[in-house]
Amino acid sequence: MAAPSSFVCVTCGTNTPADASGEAHSTCLICDEPRQFIREGGQEWITLDSLKANGKHSNVFTPTKADPENMISISTTPQYAIGQRGILIRTPKGNILWDCITYIDDETVARVKAYGGLKAIVISHPHYYSSLKEWSEAFDGIPVYTHANDKQWVQRPAKNHVFWEGTTLDLLEGEIKVLCPGGHFDGSTLLLWDKNLLVADTLMVAASRKSVSFMYSFPNYWPLPPNAVKAIWDSVRPYKFDNVLGAWVGKEIVGNGRNIVYESAKLYTQYSGHEVAKYYKADAEELAFN
């Protein structure tokens, strides 16, 4: 049996190439970094083939609350690694997958194709790179878009990998808009489609679904500074959106999303000990469209 060419981190689910000797690395580049963590007991690797062969996991397709017909969550059960979802966005100009998950099998590919297939994959930040190369190859080598600011974290790029630059990216003739305000990572991105803002970890939808949070590290509880929070608000301020979709199934704010993001940014600034007026104008000015 040939040695595996890549290994999957048990903690974050990122598919990582073998080292020069053909073995797994001693640590995971993604986890051995202040925003993540090495699991208790040390680094552990498996392979994607062994994950599929054990028969314990499968992917489920769950209609989102924000748009049940046109945005479908894809997640793995039982939860694997971080447990984030990908979101299949069905648009009149083609389908996009927002964020990636580790597990992919023939049944998953068939289900996605039944929904109309994929034209591209857009990934928000390095914690969700997972099995991006395998997902791209399963759909005829479609492009994978990650921001150039996070290029150092891409260990297994897709054959058609696009490292885009700047603060905005338009896809599908402007049907999809991707924003890069940074914050959680230098290349952390958001996606706008129709009346929906997809936020991954750039914003974190709270358990109450009445607010969002802004963190440099969520598992290690390190907050972002107020100027970074303001940059995130400034990036979405020019756009109309009602719904905010987070990284997990059910983490969705349906309605009033733009106001909730703004009020959360102010509260976050206030409760971190900073003067709100230093960063934000009067409410009417902030909430007005450019």
Side-chain angles (χ1 to χ4, degrees):
M1 181 180 295
S5 61
S6 65
F7 296 86
V8 174
C9 175
V10 170
T11 303
C12 73
T14 302
N15 208 316
T16 301
D19 66 16
S21 66
E23 301 296 328
H25 291 266
S26 59
T27 60
C28 170
L29 178 69
I30 300 296
C31 290
D32 192 20
E33 194 272 339
R35 279 162 286 210
Q36 241 317 80
F37 59 92
I38 301 294
R39 63 189 291 275
E40 187 176 357
Q43 180 63 42
E44 182 179 351
W45 301 95
I46 60 171
T47 66
L48 185 56
D49 284 343
S50 66
L51 186 63
K52 290 191 285 187
N54 69 25
K56 296 178 180 178
H57 293 86
S58 61
N59 286 335
V60 294
F61 288 65
T62 308
T64 63
K65 296 177 181 178
D67 189 337
E69 183 176 352
N70 297 309
M71 292 195 297
I72 313 296
S73 301
I74 308 174
S75 58
T76 301
T77 184
Q79 178 177 312
Y80 183 75
I82 295 174
Q84 79 275 7
R85 62 178 169 180
I87 299 179
L88 174 63
I89 307 169
R90 306 174 69 199
T91 88
K93 297 180 180 178
N95 297 347
I96 295 284
L97 181 65
W98 167 250
D99 276 332
C100 218
I101 60 176
T102 301
Y103 192 79
I104 180 171
D105 58 10
D106 292 343
E107 181 180 353
T108 301
V109 174
R111 288 284 301 274
V112 173
K113 287 183 176 179
Y115 279 113
L118 292 174
K119 285 196 170 181
I121 299 169
V122 183
I123 305 184
S124 61
H125 72 292
H127 290 152
Y128 299 160
Y129 287 169
S130 57
S131 294
L132 66 85
K133 182 177 177 66
E134 284 72 19
W135 277 85
S136 172
E137 291 174 352
F139 295 94
D140 302 318
I142 57 173
V144 176
Y145 292 86
T146 60
H147 199 276
N149 286 352
D150 290 339
K151 187 174 183 178
Q152 62 178 311
W153 304 104
V154 179
Q155 300 167 81
R156 297 181 73 244
K159 184 176 181 180
N160 191 5
H161 204 113
V162 180
F163 294 99
W164 66 280
E165 299 180 341
T167 57
T168 61
L169 171 70
D170 288 324
L171 297 174
L172 304 182
E173 301 175 351
E175 184 77 20
I176 297 283
K177 184 178 289 289
V178 187
L179 312 174
C180 179
H184 182 51
F185 274 80
D186 290 342
S188 284
T189 57
L190 305 160
L191 185 147
L192 278 163
W193 177 64
D194 194 20
K195 59 183 179 181
N196 305 293
L197 179 69
L198 284 65
V199 299
D201 288 1
T202 306
L203 313 172
M204 180 67 71
V205 175
S208 68
R209 299 179 303 283
K210 297 178 181 179
S211 65
V212 297
S213 186
F214 311 81
M215 301 286 279
Y216 181 75
S217 171
F218 288 97
N220 299 319
Y221 309 112
W222 291 359
L224 283 174
N227 59 317
V229 175
K230 182 60 161 59
I232 293 170
W233 164 246
D234 285 342
S235 74
V236 301
R237 182 178 176 271
Y239 304 103
K240 294 181 179 180
F241 58 92
D242 293 329
N243 308 320
V244 181
L245 288 84
W248 284 271
V249 174
K251 284 294 185 75
E252 298 172 24
I253 295 169
V254 180
N256 201 36
R258 187 171 180 271
N259 284 8
I260 286 173
V261 170
Y262 171 59
E263 292 297 333
S264 297
K266 288 197 304 178
L267 284 173
Y268 201 86
T269 301
Q270 175 186 341
Y271 289 135
S272 60
H274 298 273
E275 185 180 354
V276 172
K278 180 180 177 180
Y279 296 92
Y280 300 91
K281 303 172 185 176
D283 288 359
E285 294 179 76
E286 288 288 349
L287 291 171
F289 290 104
N290 290 344

